[in-house]
Amino acid sequence: MNTDRQALLLGLGAVLLWSTVATAFKVALGYLTPLELVWIAACVSWLLMTGLLWQRGTLREAATTRWRTALWAGLMNPVAYYLILLIAYDRLPGQEAMALNYTWALTMALLAVPILGHRLTRYDVLAGLIAYSGVLVIATRGDLLGMRFSDALGVGMALLSTLLWAFYWLMNTRDKRPALLAQWQNFSIAVPVLTLLVLLFSDWRNLPLAGISAGIYVGLFEMGLAFLLWQSAMNKTTRTAKISCLIFLAPPISLLILFLMLGEALLPSTPVGLALILAGLAFQQFQPISNRTQGAS
């Protein structure tokens, strides 16, 4: 099997795992608060990464070098990002929170202007208009004339999570740490902070087993194995765009799993809004290479 085929299979594995996340979040939040879910998932993910670093013989290096970036990065992701994202999932139907979260790539293009000195192309602007019109459709559940938001705070939290996620990854362009080492150090900062918050604000001694199980699933797959599969796919492929396209498979699969597992009825506004968001993302991603290079200073 050549490396591109391996990369494709690894990428598909990551996308399939990410496609279950919206359902896993909603199941877990039926038993846990957002804070409790982030804490359990972060602890599980940290243990997984610790084992991988130990197996590779790099745990000592991770524990003794380059911690300065982790001090802010760990507070941003997983602490702030996942807390805000899960508040959105707690308030909105899974289909809405999932669809809104997919605008992070466009948010990244906008933030790259002040942070990295990029210039927006006309393709970026048009992609943003298309995608954020989809956000408006989902946020109002199709009531564009009435402009009544289904849950303004939930929508705001979902969009704020995209801002944090995009900012985190843009700042990571200056991070020279190996990916797994960086993730382990970030989570090593986050886990004590989350543990303190849980001790202060949660009845952690009465967490239900079903909620703990769902939290373990999120930690293993959303925060752990999916990231490692995607990283491996990107490292193996000779055509990054081919692997990046796979991410467009996740939203429709997520909607199907939400329906089959939770019986979450598909709101008419969701596929329309999601189609606009994905169209905007595709338009932005597949613009001519000459236009992308013109967008960077």
Side-chain angles (χ1 to χ4, degrees), residues 39-261:
W39 173 60
I40 293 170
C43 288
V44 170
S45 187
W46 180 83
L47 288 172
L48 173 65
M49 288 184 283
T50 300
L52 289 171
L53 287 171
W54 178 80
Q55 187 267 333
R56 297 178 184 183
T58 55
L59 185 57
R60 183 186 295 270
E61 177 192 357
T64 57
T65 60
R66 294 183 284 186
W67 280 88
R68 183 175 299 178
T69 301
L71 293 176
W72 66 263
L75 293 177
M76 183 171 293
N77 175 41
V79 178
Y81 169 71
Y82 277 102
L83 280 176
I84 290 170
L85 177 64
L86 288 172
I87 289 171
Y89 267 95
D90 201 31
R91 300 183 65 92
L92 297 172
Q95 58 191 275
E96 292 187 357
M98 177 273 300
L100 294 174
N101 188 243
Y102 267 82
T103 61
W104 67 266
L106 289 160
T107 305
M108 183 178 291
L110 297 175
L111 282 180
V113 175
I115 294 175
L116 300 182
H118 290 186
R119 293 191 302 272
L120 291 177
T121 69
R122 62 181 181 274
Y123 288 87
D124 293 322
V125 174
L126 185 55
L129 291 174
I130 294 170
Y132 286 110
S133 66
V135 170
L136 197 59
V137 169
I138 292 172
T140 61
R141 295 188 179 172
D143 187 13
L144 295 174
L145 296 179
M147 288 297 288
R148 287 188 291 270
F149 292 92
S150 57
D151 188 315
L153 180 58
V155 170
M157 288 288 140
L159 294 177
L160 178 58
S161 74
T162 70
L163 189 67
L164 283 173
W165 189 247
F167 183 76
Y168 171 78
W169 286 108
L170 286 172
M171 293 301 292
N172 266 2
T173 60
R174 302 166 183 169
D175 188 355
K176 304 305 180 185
R177 297 174 297 165
L180 180 58
L181 181 149
Q183 286 292 94
W184 180 83
Q185 289 184 338
N186 295 351
F187 275 66
S188 295
I189 295 294
V191 166
V193 173
L194 289 167
T195 300
L196 178 61
L197 292 174
V198 165
L199 291 173
L200 291 174
F201 301 110
S202 170
D203 186 12
W204 56 275
R205 287 161 293 195
N206 292 315
L207 296 179
L209 181 59
I212 293 172
S213 300
I216 291 172
Y217 180 90
V218 171
L220 279 177
F221 297 107
E222 206 280 342
M223 292 183 181
L225 291 178
F227 166 79
L228 295 172
L229 288 173
W230 189 257
Q231 180 189 6
S232 297
M234 298 301 284
N235 289 340
K236 285 180 177 291
T237 188
T238 59
R239 294 181 58 198
T240 301
K242 186 175 182 180
I243 299 302
S244 299
C245 293
L246 295 176
I247 201 66
F248 291 95
L249 296 174
I253 297 174
S254 293
L255 293 178
L256 179 62
I257 295 173
L258 282 166
F259 173 73
L260 293 176
M261 298 295 294

